[in-house]
Amino acid sequence: MTDWILDWIAWGGYVAIFLLMALENIVPPVPSEVIMGLGGMAIARGDMSFWPLLIWGTLGTLAGNYWWYWVGRRVGYHRLRPFVERHGRWLTLDWADVERVHHFFLRHGGITVFVFRMLPTFRTMISLPAGMTGMSVWRFSLWTLAGSSVWNAVLIAAGYYLGANFRELDRYVGPIAVAMTVGIIVIYLYRVITWKKED
């Protein structure tokens, strides 16, 4: 994966960073940690500059998240009800849970998007409820840009300071990601087995 990303960056520079970050938010297995970390290494070598890298990477993040935002807008909040009521056990929630999330997001949607943009997991999926609750495009864009700028700046700095050792870090990213995925699956299965519909 790292060599493939390096080839793209060598081919397209900042435009490749934009495209990779957009792809990362549509197809989550493409890791932003590696993309922006390698960008930070490029800064250390003198091949890139901080601000253009941050701007192009963050705009790519926004572009990729628009996909999930518009999926959420298209599906909408009320269209979910028949699906949730039919498949509640497998979703491990019922309509009351959806309503609670909906009302919470109406009150705190902006800051929720901002915070989730800086979390290693679920930072892309937060775009779905933003779209479903009808958050305006400009608010969604503002909070996404703000949170993603912070996250991407941290990743760039990590790549810059780790330098040549970044490849060593990449060796551990895969196993950690697998462990987190297994953990999520175990928790999900537990919730499916113990799930009871709310009266």
Side-chain angles (χ1 to χ4, degrees):
M1 177 69 77
T2 301
D3 290 334
W4 179 75
I5 292 171
L6 282 170
D7 290 341
W8 265 69
I9 294 173
W11 165 77
Y14 296 116
V15 174
I17 292 288
F18 173 88
L19 294 172
L20 286 166
M21 290 300 286
L23 181 64
E24 184 265 340
N25 285 279
I26 297 171
V27 187
V30 179
S32 64
E33 292 84 353
V34 176
I35 299 166
M36 298 307 286
L38 292 172
M41 287 177 59
I43 293 174
R45 294 194 306 268
D47 297 333
M48 286 185 166
S49 299
F50 176 80
W51 287 110
L53 176 61
L54 179 63
I55 291 168
W56 281 92
T58 302
L59 289 176
T61 299
L62 178 62
N65 276 284
Y66 272 137
W67 165 259
W68 295 109
Y69 171 80
W70 286 114
V71 167
R73 286 293 287 258
R74 183 86 179 184
V75 172
Y77 163 61
H78 294 290
R79 286 187 188 176
L80 276 182
R81 185 161 192 162
F83 184 79
V84 169
E85 290 181 344
R86 188 176 306 117
H87 304 289
R89 171 173 292 279
W90 300 108
L91 297 169
T92 69
L93 51 79
D94 53 31
W95 189 244
D97 297 320
V98 175
E99 287 188 319
R100 279 193 287 271
V101 172
H102 177 74
H103 292 307
F104 176 86
F105 214 90
L106 287 175
R107 291 194 305 271
H108 309 292
I111 194 66
T112 303
V113 169
F114 174 77
V115 171
F116 267 68
R117 291 290 174 227
M118 295 178 283
L119 298 180
T121 55
F122 305 116
R123 63 177 178 273
T124 296
M125 289 298 101
I126 197 64
S127 301
L128 275 171
M132 286 180 176
T133 55
M135 178 182 284
S136 67
V137 174
W138 75 266
R139 285 189 70 225
F140 174 76
S141 301
L142 178 66
W143 288 110
T144 295
L145 287 171
S148 300
S149 295
V150 175
W151 176 248
N152 289 338
V154 169
L155 296 178
I156 291 169
Y160 180 86
Y161 288 110
L162 285 170
N165 294 323
F166 193 81
R167 280 185 176 275
E168 289 297 311
L169 180 65
D170 187 37
R171 290 174 52 191
Y172 299 100
V173 169
I176 290 172
V178 169
M180 290 177 65
T181 302
V182 170
I184 290 169
I185 291 171
V186 169
I187 292 169
Y188 168 74
L189 291 174
Y190 174 78
R191 283 178 59 86
V192 167
I193 293 167
T194 61
W195 185 82
K196 292 180 180 179
K197 188 171 183 178
E198 202 171 295
D199 295 329

